[in-house]
Each structure stands twice: as structure tokens, then as C-alpha cells.
Amino acid sequence: IYAREAWDLATGSCIKGAIIDDGVQLNHPDLAANLTTGYDATDRKGLDGADGSPYVAVGDGHGTGCAGLVVSIANN
């Protein structure tokens, strides 16, 4: 993505996006300020990750990395 070029045009306001992946680290310092409540789309009620956080067994952080492209705090 051409984020730096896009930031010269606009940084966004009141925009919502969704990351459909293996979960997002909800308390990540670069993301927490811009996240809303997680949603478990995997139907693993009562298991790790049922709030939208990463499923411990996966452990690769892919969803958190993808979320970082979308909702990281500005200029970080």
C-alpha cells in the first residue's frame, strides 16, 4: 500500500474497517486507541480468542500485523 503518499492527501476520520483473520492483539500499544470491540467470527465460544483476540494455538500474530496496516496510531 502507498500509505505515505495517501497521508499527504488525508488521514481519515470516522472510518471503520474489519480485519477477518486469526485475531488481533486487543491491547497492542499501536492499535488499542483505534480498535473497537472484537468479534469472534470462528464460533469458538468459551475458548481463547472468543473476544476477537488471537487464538493462542495459532500464535503467529498475522491478524495483528494486518490490523496494524489499517488502524495503527498516526506517525508511528
Side-chain angles (χ1 to χ4, degrees), residues 29-64:
D30 287 336
L31 307 177
N34 294 323
L35 292 175
T36 60
T37 304
Y39 176 78
D40 177 24
T42 64
D43 197 29
R44 293 178 285 133
K45 306 298 182 228
L47 300 174
D48 291 339
D51 59 356
S53 60
Y55 183 49
V56 174
V58 174
D60 65 8
H62 187 268
T64 300

Side-chain angles (χ1 to χ4, degrees), residues 17 19 24-38 52 63-64 67-68 70-73:
I19 304 300
V24 174
Q25 182 184 340
L26 301 174
N27 64 351
H28 192 286
D30 287 336
L31 307 177
N34 294 323
L35 292 175
T36 60
T37 304
T64 300
V70 179
V71 300
S72 291
I73 56 176

Side-chain angles (χ1 to χ4, degrees), residues 3 5 8 12-13 16-17 19 37 40-41 57 68 74:
E5 290 84 354
D8 290 338
S13 177
K16 293 185 180 190
I19 304 300
T37 304
D40 177 24

